[in-house]
Amino acid sequence: MCSSRVAVSAAVRLVARQQQQQAPALRRVSAPLFTATRRYVNALYRVPPLHTVPTHSPSGEEVDAELFVRQVKDLFAALRQTQLVEQIHEMRTCPYYDCLFTADVIFQHYDMVLPMPKYGREHRSSEVSETLRYLRACGATGDFNHILQDVKGGVASGGDFVSTSHGILMAYGTARTNKLSMMALTGGGAPSEAAAAQQRALNVVPIEVAADAPPLADFMAFAGKRTLIVQDTVHGRNAAEAAARGIAKIPWQILRVEPGCSFLSHLCGVNAVYDVLVDQDYPASMERVGEAGLNPFPVEWTEPRKLGVTMRSVCLVARFARGTMSAGGYADSDGHRAASFTYHSRNIAKNSRLFQNGHRRHGDSGAPLEAQLRSGELPEPVYQRPPRYAPPMHRTGGLMASDAGRND
């Protein structure tokens, strides 16, 4: 009996010792292999060449070109400190001043990208194409919708669109964006009811503005959950009233700031973000933004303000906040018509660009080599020097003796 107890206790000690030896190995195996990160919202911008920046404003004020470029870059340095964006990409410059206004040629809402018509901006055609490839490299897996480019006689500007949580506000009635483009997005000129329903699914809320109104996004921005920041001008007040009527089920908080004050805020996807970039030369507006429950960030904006440049016009916001691997259910709804937010969305990570609607992408994703390198999609190129001469294995180096020398 005693010997059996000793044998059992020895076996128990042996098992315990084996478990202690295996515990570190088990802990090593159970370590997390992959950590998902939020890479929802991207900001893209271009800096024009220094010699193309105007030296004087239309009113005759002198503009410091170097300070102008530095303040534009400092805007994105301040933007990097906020929760408005996750990644910032500086795109390659173009040899003209208009390349500064990246947000005027493309509008992006969730997984849909709307390139603007090229009429009137034909010289920026290659810039638009390259920007689309930058968007692909950033992780855009949705549609590049060419509906605006198919409208005969239609003109549109990306500055006349504002994304909200319950639709897209679109200003029309100016030389930048006419009624034909508005009808194309709201189903007014659709050939059939099915096509009209598909266009109305974009949920565009049209706002008619005066012919001399600035771009809508220059005097209106979405912030937080239900706040519209507008400039306290005639255009701003009218647009805010029209937006509140168009999306009536939302109890909008209308926040008015001083005329001429430049600000930057946008819809950030699934999470409400309360950060707002505000021109630091308007302290009353910054105080008003803070009193409304938002978080103002001061930005120096003296030189761009002389040329009428706003913060919004130089910053192309590209948000890919919804699921890239759609679980819509049926195979025929696997594209953009599927559910935009699925349980795959929590798995969004840096490598989500490898998947398109649940399918692995093969080959080139459509981005140029430079954009792929900058976005981290391709590894850095390896530069290796040519190897030095080494004699073949198991032989001595040097010159081989000639036949004449060997015969001697």
Side-chain angles (χ1 to χ4, degrees), residues 242-294:
R245 286 194 308 268
I247 311 179
K249 63 181 179 179
I250 303 297
W252 292 107
Q253 179 187 21
I254 308 297
L255 174 60
R256 297 178 181 177
V257 297
E258 299 168 86
C261 176
S262 184
F263 47 85
L264 178 59
S265 178
H266 55 256
L267 176 67
C268 290
V270 293
N271 296 332
V273 176
Y274 300 93
D275 296 342
V276 183
L277 296 182
V278 187
D279 191 341
Q280 67 178 12
D281 291 337
Y282 293 85
S285 297
M286 292 186 59
E287 186 176 354
R288 199 173 301 171
V289 168
E291 290 172 351
L294 302 176

Side-chain angles (χ1 to χ4, degrees), residues 38-115:
R38 279 180 69 233
R39 297 185 186 273
Y40 292 162
V41 189
N42 299 265
L44 299 95
Y45 71 101
R46 297 181 192 269
V47 177
L50 197 63
H51 67 275
T52 61
V53 178
T55 57
H56 291 78
S57 69
S59 60
E61 291 181 284
E62 187 174 356
V63 177
D64 188 346
E66 295 182 358
L67 183 58
F68 177 92
V69 171
R70 188 167 78 244
Q71 288 182 353
V72 169
K73 291 186 176 181
D74 288 347
L75 167 68
F76 293 93
L79 188 61
R80 199 182 298 270
Q81 308 300 321
T82 69
Q83 298 181 22
L84 288 168
V85 297
E86 272 72 39
Q87 284 186 320
I88 294 178
H89 309 273
E90 181 180 353
M91 297 185 287
R92 187 175 59 183
T93 186
C94 298
Y96 45 83
Y97 174 68
D98 286 347
C99 74
L100 173 68
F101 306 102
T102 54
D104 289 343
V105 294
I106 288 176
F107 171 72
Q108 200 268 341
H109 182 76
Y110 286 146
D111 55 353
M112 179 192 66
V113 178
L114 275 175

Side-chain angles (χ1 to χ4, degrees), residues 161-343:
F161 294 85
V162 173
S163 290
T164 70
S165 56
H166 287 73
I168 304 172
L169 302 177
M170 176 185 182
Y172 71 97
T174 62
R176 295 181 310 272
T177 306
N178 59 8
K179 193 172 183 179
L180 290 173
S181 298
M182 183 274 294
M183 293 175 62
L185 291 179
T186 55
S192 64
E193 181 59 30
Q198 188 176 13
Q199 292 172 5
R200 284 196 297 268
L202 296 175
N203 202 8
V204 174
V205 178
I207 297 176
E208 187 172 6
V209 296
D212 60 340
L216 178 66
D218 283 353
F219 60 87
M220 175 183 284
F222 178 86
K225 288 185 177 180
R226 55 180 186 90
T227 303
L228 288 178
I229 306 175
V230 297
Q231 289 184 357
D232 195 6
T233 60
V234 175
H235 303 302
R237 289 191 293 268
N238 293 341
E241 293 174 3
R245 286 194 308 268
I247 311 179
K249 63 181 179 179
I250 303 297
W252 292 107
Q253 179 187 21
I254 308 297
L255 174 60
R256 297 178 181 177
V257 297
E258 299 168 86
C261 176
S262 184
F263 47 85
L264 178 59
S265 178
H266 55 256
L267 176 67
C268 290
V270 293
N271 296 332
V273 176
Y274 300 93
D275 296 342
V276 183
L277 296 182
V278 187
D279 191 341
Q280 67 178 12
D281 291 337
Y282 293 85
S285 297
M286 292 186 59
E287 186 176 354
R288 199 173 301 171
V289 168
E291 290 172 351
L294 302 176
N295 188 18
F297 281 74
V299 176
E300 188 179 4
W301 201 247
T302 57
E303 303 304 308
R305 193 193 321 129
K306 295 178 183 177
L307 296 175
V309 179
T310 60
M311 298 180 190
R312 188 277 324 164
S313 61
V314 303
C315 177
L316 174 60
V317 176
R319 63 191 79 75
F320 311 111
R322 302 306 174 102
T324 56
M325 298 177 61
S326 66
Y330 299 100
D332 59 349
S333 65
D334 190 50
H336 65 282
R337 293 167 296 174
S340 60
F341 185 74
T342 67
Y343 57 84

